[in-house]
Amino acid sequence: MKFEGNAVEQKNLFLMRFKQAQKSADYPERLEVPLDKIKWDDEFEEYDPPYYVDRVVLEQFEQQGDVGWADPENIGDCVLKYASVYGEILRSKQNLPLNPFGRCGIAGRGELGHWGVNLAVDPIVTRIDRKSGLLQMILIERVDCGEIALPGGMVNAGETSTKALSRELREETEAYINFENATLVYKGYVADRRNTDNAWIETTACHVHLDPNFGSKIIVKGHDDAKRACWCTLTPKVVEALYASHAAIVRAALRNLFDSNAAELPAEVICQIDEILKF
Ligand code: RP5
């Protein structure tokens, strides 16, 4: 496995190490994992984290079976739904899939439906605001934790990432954007508070930069998992405070936008991007 060289993944490692205590409200406390014992091949014989699977996950499988979003609790009855971008998924002695970023201090699936990879998408939509001349992005306030985030969500069974990007954006903001020609910004692990040793989120983040005219016609409104949605003017502080790994993902999108469009971007936007990237 190679994590170096990818800014989002370096940030993921940072978040895992220094924000290990982050967890969903209903989770038990995470067992503290010393920095030198995070990787699975680091010796840690006494490692015995609490096991947690949310009631909603168990009920989902009981009620919906294979057509729902949750796997059976018995790993023996389950084929892993998704491959990981990090290659072969290691297994524990109990045959449970092991998080490629190492020990999280909690076992089981927590609030995640699938053993192993839980596949998400993150739509990134930007425009230059006609009034202020500054770069704006569609962001939401998450209902579950109140944090500001990209309007992302889980991929449905059998759905392509491209379809899921448009669907999630529409469900959470009521805006429709076609992602067929979007720029792929990032594909990989998200340092999400719901991750466990045996279930984690991997996302596909794609970016569409709208021209100012079209962009001004896209009205957004919070819906579903989003308490609020807005066109938010990007500042270093707004970006830094984003949910999970979204700050690093947004920075990667902005670097890309700058590298491919520098000649067409107004000077104020170039300054804005520069401030955010060096924060
Ligand atoms: C994050 O959680 C992903 O990056 C994505 O934004 C989101 C998916 O989970 P839900 O919004 O469906 O809860 O890790």
Side-chain angles (χ1 to χ4, degrees):
M1 257 175 303
K2 189 163 171 282
F3 300 123
E4 301 79 31
N6 179 326
V8 182
E9 278 155 0
Q10 279 177 18
K11 182 75 184 195
N12 282 339
L13 285 175
F14 173 83
L15 287 170
M16 276 194 67
R17 285 172 193 184
F18 298 101
K19 287 198 177 174
Q20 249 177 17
Q22 268 216 350
K23 61 171 188 74
S24 260
D26 291 338
Y27 281 32
E29 288 304 320
R30 290 180 186 274
L31 185 79
E32 205 176 320
V33 182
L35 295 187
D36 59 350
K37 293 186 166 37
I38 289 181
K39 294 200 215 112
W40 292 107
D41 47 17
D42 294 330
E43 195 76 2
F44 195 2
E45 284 239 339
E46 64 281 24
Y47 183 63
D48 186 18
Y51 186 98
Y52 181 69
V53 53
D54 199 90
R55 187 177 43 81
V56 176
V57 172
L58 298 172
E59 283 171 5
Q60 168 70 202
F61 182 74
E62 269 161 35
Q63 287 159 16
Q64 302 290 324
D66 289 337
V67 295
W69 51 262
D71 290 333
E73 173 63 358
N74 183 352
I75 190 71
D77 299 338
C78 169
V79 176
L80 296 189
K81 282 278 173 319
Y82 302 113
S84 168
V85 301
Y86 305 104
E88 190 194 350
I89 295 175
L90 302 177
R91 299 281 190 141
S92 69
K93 285 189 190 120
Q94 298 78 30
N95 200 31
L96 300 179
L98 291 176
N99 187 321
F101 274 72
R103 297 184 174 100
C104 299
I106 190 159
R109 282 175 291 165
E111 293 172 352
L112 298 174
H114 296 303
W115 289 107
V117 177
N118 287 260
L119 217 55
V121 285
D122 282 296
I124 304 171
V125 184
T126 52
R127 72 176 182 191
I128 295 172
D129 178 39
R130 287 204 296 193
K131 278 198 203 130
S132 65
L134 292 173
L135 189 67
Q136 297 185 323
M137 182 173 285
I138 300 181
L139 295 174
I140 58 141
E141 181 182 336
R142 291 180 63 95
V143 165
D144 59 355
C145 61
E147 287 186 35
I148 307 301
L150 291 167
M154 298 299 183
V155 175
N156 289 338
E159 187 180 43
T160 63
S161 296
T162 310
K163 287 256 157 60
L165 284 157
S166 292
R167 177 186 53 72
E168 278 295 334
L169 182 71
R170 183 169 245 171
E171 278 177 14
E172 298 195 355
T173 72
E174 298 189 358
Y176 177 76
I177 303 284
N178 185 335
F179 276 82
E180 256 151 53
N181 296 316
T183 307
L184 173 66
V185 169
Y186 175 70
K187 207 170 164 56
Y189 192 84
V190 186
D192 191 285
R193 67 185 71 212
R194 290 165 290 182
N195 291 344
T196 69
D197 286 353
N198 313 118
W200 60 94
I201 298 179
E202 292 187 18
T203 195
T204 299
C206 291
H207 182 192
V208 174
H209 180 60
L210 305 176
D211 78 66
N213 263 339
F214 182 57
S216 69
K217 295 192 184 97
I218 303 289
I219 311 293
V220 294
K221 188 163 170 255
H223 190 68
D224 198 44
D225 290 344
K227 198 153 142 197
R228 283 187 310 130
C230 66
W231 278 105
C232 193
T233 300
L234 295 179
T235 66
K237 279 196 175 152
V238 164
V239 173
E240 186 57 24
L242 291 175
Y243 179 77
S245 310
H246 291 186
I249 294 173
V250 166
R251 285 204 184 90
L254 298 185
R255 185 171 299 281
N256 229 25
L257 180 68
F258 176 80
D259 289 346
S260 52
N261 281 290
E264 288 151 39
L265 294 174
E268 306 93 288
V269 171
I270 292 185
C271 277
Q272 193 187 356
I273 294 178
D274 194 47
E275 290 294 310
I276 293 167
L277 294 183
K278 70 182 187 213
F279 187 71

